[in-house]
């Protein structure tokens, strides 16, 4: 991993693995999405920190935002709860388009747009996970809920305030929060952690912001 020399990735004839201790032990990365297939090449994308795998006969497999793996250590694995630092997030507008015709087209889904918030839970506890997002003035703009399964957990914030705080866009476009730094607080039972996420200007609005 370009950000952490202790984190290594390897492709084998059957799947891909990751190590957080310079290769002393390895964890299977396939999960439920990567089939049993040879992995011939691996690359970390510099802009998004996605892990891209070139497979033998199954095209390209992408692990969206592998940055939590680059932050993982044995101390975090042994800790009861940990919140990872998220990468900067940028809003996007989507427009409808048509007139694309072909036979047996394969179209994959785009990654979910927003801020990817990751946290680690060591042991299962029957406690809910709550997430609050506050602006630089400490005003909470949105609250979310998350999963409480052991291991990595991910919640995507859509970069919007909750509906009660939105004014409504006259052009019916998505109303994103203003660019800047936002404080993220994640609570799970008696555990809690904080981090911050940088929201970048919406494309096309950089000069106005």
């Amino acid at each position: 991993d370009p950000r952490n020399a202790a984190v290594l990735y390897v492709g084998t004839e059957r799947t891909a693995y990751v190590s957080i201790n310079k290769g002393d032990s390895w964890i299977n990365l396939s999960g439920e999405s990567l089939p049993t297939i040879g992995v011939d090449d691996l690359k970390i994308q510099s802009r998004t920190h996605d892990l891209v795998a070139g497979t033998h006969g199954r095209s390209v497999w992408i692990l969206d935002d592998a940055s939590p793996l680059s932050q993982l250590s044995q101390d975090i694995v042994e800790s009861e709860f940990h919140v990872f630092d998220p990468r900067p997030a940028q809003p996007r507008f989507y427009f409808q388009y048509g007139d694309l015709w072909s036979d047996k087209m394969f179209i994959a889904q785009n990654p979910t747009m927003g801020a990817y918030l990751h946290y680690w839970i060591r042991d299962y506890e029957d406690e809910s996970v709550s997430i609050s997002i506050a602006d630089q003035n400490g005003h909470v703009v949105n609250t979310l809920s998350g999963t409480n399964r052991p291991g990595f957990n991910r919640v995507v914030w859509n970069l919007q305030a909750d509906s009660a705080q939105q004014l409504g866009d006259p052009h019916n476009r998505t109303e994103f929060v203003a660019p800047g730094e936002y404080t993220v607080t994640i609570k799970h039972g008696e555990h809690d952690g904080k981090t911050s996420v940088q929201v970048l200007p919406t494309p096309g609005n950089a000069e106005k912001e």
Side-chain angles (χ1 to χ4, degrees), residues 188-203:
H188 173 50
E190 298 180 353
H191 311 296
D192 64 84
K194 285 189 176 183
T195 186
S196 61
V197 59
Q198 187 72 26
V199 177
L200 303 176
T202 306

Side-chain angles (χ1 to χ4, degrees), residues 3 10 21 34-35 46 54 56 70 78 88 98-99 120 131 169 196:
R3 299 180 184 175
V10 65
N21 50 23
L34 179 63
S46 58
H56 185 79
S70 70
E78 294 174 358
D99 299 326
W120 171 269
I131 303 168
D169 186 273
S196 61

Side-chain angles (χ1 to χ4, degrees), residues 12-16 30-41 51-63 106 108:
T12 71
E13 293 183 352
R14 297 180 61 84
T15 190
S30 60
E32 298 180 357
S33 60
L34 179 63
T36 301
I37 194 70
V39 175
D40 297 331
D41 201 2
L51 175 63
V52 182
T55 72
H56 185 79
R58 290 294 186 98
S59 189
V60 174
W61 175 82
I62 301 175
L63 175 60
F106 173 78

